[in-house]
Amino acid sequence: MPVNVITEKLISSGYFPKELPPPFSTVLMSQKIGQMALDWAAIVAALPTKERKFHPKLSKPTRFDVARKGHARRMLSIPNPLNQYYLSDFIAENWTKIDELCSSSKISITNVNINTADGRSVVLPPLSDLSDKRTLMLTTSRAVLQTDVLSFYHSIYTHSIPWALHGKSVAKLNRNSSDPNVFGNRIDELVRSCQDGQTMGIPVGPDTSRIISEIILSAVESHLPPSIHDKIIDGYRYVDDFFLCFSSHGDAEAALAALRASVLYFDLQLNADKTSIFSALTHLEESWPNDVSENRISRSGRKQRRSIIHFFTYALGLSLNHSSESILSFAVKMSARSLIEKDNWDIYQSFLFRIGRQSPNCLDVIVKIICTYAAIGYQIDDRINKFIEIMITDHAPYNHHFEVAWTLWLARSLNIKLNDEATAMASAVENSVCGCLILLLRTRGLLSGRTLTSSWLNSLDTESLHGENWLLTYEAGIRASWRIRDASTAVGSNPYFTALKNRNVSFFDTLARNKPLDLPGIRPKLLAALKGRKSGVLPGLIFIKRSEYSNDSFYEKLGSDYSEGDIIFPWGGNFDFDDDDYDDEDILV
């Protein structure tokens, strides 16, 4: 695969985390990546030799704190575009050698093949497939070893990247980052440049980190003695989760000792709380996914209403006894397999509000469901205002970026104005993702109060472009309508970001729309909602075009699978620089 194709894919659909609301996109950067590379190369060529040696400059990533199952959370990173480009391009240049190492794994089912089709640049197989796989494996096994690496992404020592690619002794003897024979040194250097020089941990979110994780774990496997490989009769590795089958308990014990030593060789540790060896005959799969799936929502009428109540009541009850599992998130996705009738929308909507508060890791899905039903004319309950206020006041004080961002996007999608308290609390969240959405709402007149934004938004300067708020600084710097003091000056004084601006690159689409969910029977209802027009933006900020309404790409498929962070364990658009061209009359009501 050509280097430029790999680089473009890693930028277009492997850079920003998938958990961000629709306005955030790297497609424009990927489309201009060839031109950007020439622009930046010219800037670098003009640097003094000493500065060129330390290019790209160290930067801090934008942070995005997301909800996971139970009370767990995960901090995602959005690296600076300059640093992320150089890392992605260098990985692409050395892809053949990287792929050779990663393909050597005999048990990985999360190989890092570059996906040139729609979707993420590096695709993970569905976790729901693992149940069948385990069932088949256990029929001929006596003992099973299960384990994972403790805080894997956050505990990776960046210097272990060249160890994995070239061997520890070779990498320690030659630390030259410009030597192509030890190109892992340069990957190590570029990863550190994405996170202010830190050697502990790698950014969580970009697919470049998925590739690096597979590099290290493939090396962990290759470091195991051949005798241990011979003892593994079946099993798999899903990212850093191991499920290995053996002929005896003793073989499993030997493998555990060897695996513990191998991960330690790369300065990692196994997670003691998630490590066990058990008899294959005692293993039982979790039953709750099937239990929830079997409680289907009926198709119509009073029967559907009763089944909605039973379905969610059952899921809520299960979640009380399995608080560490993603039962409610799973249930919400499963509920989208039925089209709710308008007469039953009130009760369904009430459960969505409740679950959004109780299990906020599925808030993005709830927002998409609400917007899709709004598009076909379902009345959104007045309680939506209170729901939005509660979500912001409950989560903004704790810097829960995911909940605040998706709630702000819900307000934008439904054209709901925040009250004074919600405005003040959301504006005070010092985060680029939330900040961009706050400024979008301000341009739409959806904020309240005398002080529409907090003072931190006016503290952005040139240094901010290499700091944690690079995303907000750049987006505010290219939009006069956002009225952020000094942001435009900051962008104009930085040649790398000036080059981005001159190429009309943005990472935030002020005209972004929601994709409708592909619910059963939704397509003719969306067509009817157009009321004879060729195209239009329906309520819920859903865009529909009559000539293409039946095209699958117009819709989002909402699967019932678990997200990457929800493994059941243990086992048992067009861009415009300003907002003023938007015509609210285009929204059909």
Side-chain angles (χ1 to χ4, degrees), residues 182-246:
V182 281
F183 65 91
N185 285 332
R186 180 59 175 165
I187 296 178
D188 169 19
E189 186 176 65
L190 289 170
V191 170
R192 285 185 280 117
S193 81
C194 290
Q195 51 191 27
D196 202 28
Q198 292 184 38
T199 59
M200 187 55 65
I202 61 175
V204 181
D207 284 356
T208 46
S209 292
R210 270 283 299 115
I211 293 168
I212 290 167
S213 73
E214 196 67 19
I215 289 172
I216 292 173
L217 288 165
S218 296
V220 165
E221 288 180 42
S222 65
H223 192 68
L224 292 171
S227 60
I228 296 299
H229 284 286
D230 293 341
K231 294 179 188 296
I232 301 172
I233 62 173
D234 214 333
Y236 62 80
R237 173 174 59 76
Y238 189 102
V239 190
D240 65 313
D241 291 291
F242 292 83
F243 188 91
L244 305 177
C245 303
F246 302 88

Side-chain angles (χ1 to χ4, degrees), residues 299-301 304 308 338-349 352-353 369-382 384 414 519-522 525-526 529 538-540 588-589:
R299 290 175 179 265
S300 61
Q304 184 185 71
I308 291 171
S338 302
L339 184 68
I340 306 302
E341 289 190 339
K342 187 174 287 189
D343 288 344
N344 300 321
W345 170 243
D346 60 337
I347 197 72
Y348 180 70
Q349 185 181 196
L352 293 182
F353 291 157
I369 291 174
I370 290 173
C371 290
T372 300
Y373 279 100
I376 60 174
Y378 282 32
Q379 184 66 40
I380 305 301
D381 197 300
D382 289 342
I384 191 71
L414 299 178
L519 305 174
I522 196 71
K525 291 182 178 294
L526 289 168
L538 302 174
L588 302 183
V589 294

Side-chain angles (χ1 to χ4, degrees), residues 336-395:
R337 291 188 174 185
S338 302
L339 184 68
I340 306 302
E341 289 190 339
K342 187 174 287 189
D343 288 344
N344 300 321
W345 170 243
D346 60 337
I347 197 72
Y348 180 70
Q349 185 181 196
S350 296
F351 277 114
L352 293 182
F353 291 157
R354 175 176 174 177
I355 292 173
R357 293 179 60 193
Q358 187 168 335
S359 185
N361 64 320
C362 59
L363 182 60
D364 55 340
V365 177
I366 290 172
V367 170
K368 294 171 185 178
I369 291 174
I370 290 173
C371 290
T372 300
Y373 279 100
I376 60 174
Y378 282 32
Q379 184 66 40
I380 305 301
D381 197 300
D382 289 342
R383 289 173 297 169
I384 191 71
N385 298 68
K386 190 63 178 177
F387 173 72
I388 287 173
E389 293 164 12
I390 289 174
M391 291 301 293
I392 289 177
T393 55
D394 281 356
H395 295 282

Side-chain angles (χ1 to χ4, degrees), residues 48-319:
T49 303
K50 186 175 180 180
E51 286 187 39
R52 198 182 312 141
K53 181 180 178 181
F54 294 102
H55 175 78
K57 180 180 177 180
L58 298 183
S59 65
K60 294 180 181 179
T62 287
R63 303 294 186 184
F64 190 65
D65 183 76
V66 301
R68 296 178 64 199
K69 59 184 180 180
H71 297 289
R73 304 197 67 83
R74 170 176 285 177
M75 187 64 75
L76 304 182
S77 295
I78 308 173
N80 190 285
L82 182 69
N83 304 79
Q84 186 63 25
Y85 160 72
Y86 280 105
L87 174 60
S88 300
D89 193 57
F90 192 77
I91 285 176
E93 287 178 8
N94 293 278
W95 183 252
T96 301
K97 297 174 183 176
I98 291 171
D99 185 50
E100 183 179 353
L101 171 63
C102 294
S103 299
S104 67
S105 170
K106 297 179 180 179
I107 59 173
S108 175
I109 57 172
T110 50
N111 291 327
V112 286
N113 300 317
I114 299 297
N115 170 39
T116 56
D118 292 340
R120 295 292 295 189
S121 59
V122 178
V123 180
L124 282 167
L127 284 164
S128 55
D129 291 350
L130 300 186
S131 179
D132 289 352
K133 187 179 292 290
R134 289 190 294 269
T135 299
L136 294 171
M137 291 173 177
L138 294 170
T139 57
T140 56
S141 306
R142 288 192 174 91
V144 176
L145 164 62
Q146 60 173 26
T147 188
D148 74 356
V149 179
L150 181 65
S151 301
F152 179 48
Y153 281 85
H154 297 290
S155 62
I156 290 175
Y157 183 46
T158 63
H159 292 339
S160 69
I161 298 170
W163 300 354
L165 286 165
H166 314 294
K168 185 183 280 191
S169 58
V170 172
K172 285 194 170 187
L173 284 173
N174 186 350
R175 302 177 187 272
N176 184 357
S177 62
S178 61
D179 187 341
N181 293 317
V182 281
F183 65 91
N185 285 332
R186 180 59 175 165
I187 296 178
D188 169 19
E189 186 176 65
L190 289 170
V191 170
R192 285 185 280 117
S193 81
C194 290
Q195 51 191 27
D196 202 28
Q198 292 184 38
T199 59
M200 187 55 65
I202 61 175
V204 181
D207 284 356
T208 46
S209 292
R210 270 283 299 115
I211 293 168
I212 290 167
S213 73
E214 196 67 19
I215 289 172
I216 292 173
L217 288 165
S218 296
V220 165
E221 288 180 42
S222 65
H223 192 68
L224 292 171
S227 60
I228 296 299
H229 284 286
D230 293 341
K231 294 179 188 296
I232 301 172
I233 62 173
D234 214 333
Y236 62 80
R237 173 174 59 76
Y238 189 102
V239 190
D240 65 313
D241 291 291
F242 292 83
F243 188 91
L244 305 177
C245 303
F246 302 88
S247 296
S248 70
H249 190 93
D251 286 350
E253 290 279 6
L256 175 58
L259 185 58
R260 185 177 287 121
S262 187
V263 298
L264 186 60
Y265 183 80
F266 292 94
D267 279 7
L268 297 167
Q269 296 181 58
L270 294 182
N271 189 338
D273 292 337
K274 294 183 178 180
T275 299
S276 63
I277 295 174
F278 54 86
S279 169
L281 298 179
T282 64
H283 174 77
L284 296 174
E285 294 291 330
E286 289 283 359
S287 62
W288 65 258
N290 286 332
D291 295 340
V292 173
S293 300
E294 288 175 0
N295 281 280
R296 296 182 180 276
I297 294 176
S298 299
R299 290 175 179 265
S300 61
R302 294 291 301 175
K303 187 176 181 181
Q304 184 185 71
R305 191 176 187 85
R306 290 193 299 271
S307 67
I308 291 171
I309 295 172
H310 180 266
F311 177 83
F312 283 115
T313 301
Y314 181 77
L316 286 162
L318 272 179
S319 70

Side-chain angles (χ1 to χ4, degrees), residues 18-21 64-68 73-74 76 359-365 391 395 399-408 431 433-434 437:
K18 62 183 182 299
E19 291 84 356
L20 297 179
F64 190 65
D65 183 76
V66 301
R68 296 178 64 199
R73 304 197 67 83
R74 170 176 285 177
L76 304 182
S359 185
N361 64 320
C362 59
L363 182 60
D364 55 340
V365 177
M391 291 301 293
H395 295 282
N399 289 315
H400 291 170
H401 306 145
F402 176 82
E403 291 89 327
V404 174
W406 277 98
T407 302
L408 291 174
N431 173 258
V433 173
C434 297
L437 290 164

Side-chain angles (χ1 to χ4, degrees), residues 495-542:
Y496 303 103
F497 282 92
T498 297
L500 283 171
K501 180 181 178 180
N502 290 341
R503 295 291 182 184
N504 289 344
V505 171
S506 173
F507 303 97
F508 186 82
D509 184 0
T510 60
L511 304 182
R513 312 290 192 240
N514 288 307
K515 271 191 171 186
L517 295 179
D518 198 13
L519 305 174
I522 196 71
R523 299 189 184 194
K525 291 182 178 294
L526 289 168
L527 184 62
L530 279 177
K531 299 177 182 178
R533 293 181 58 168
K534 292 182 179 179
S535 64
V537 182
L538 302 174
L541 213 58
I542 299 283

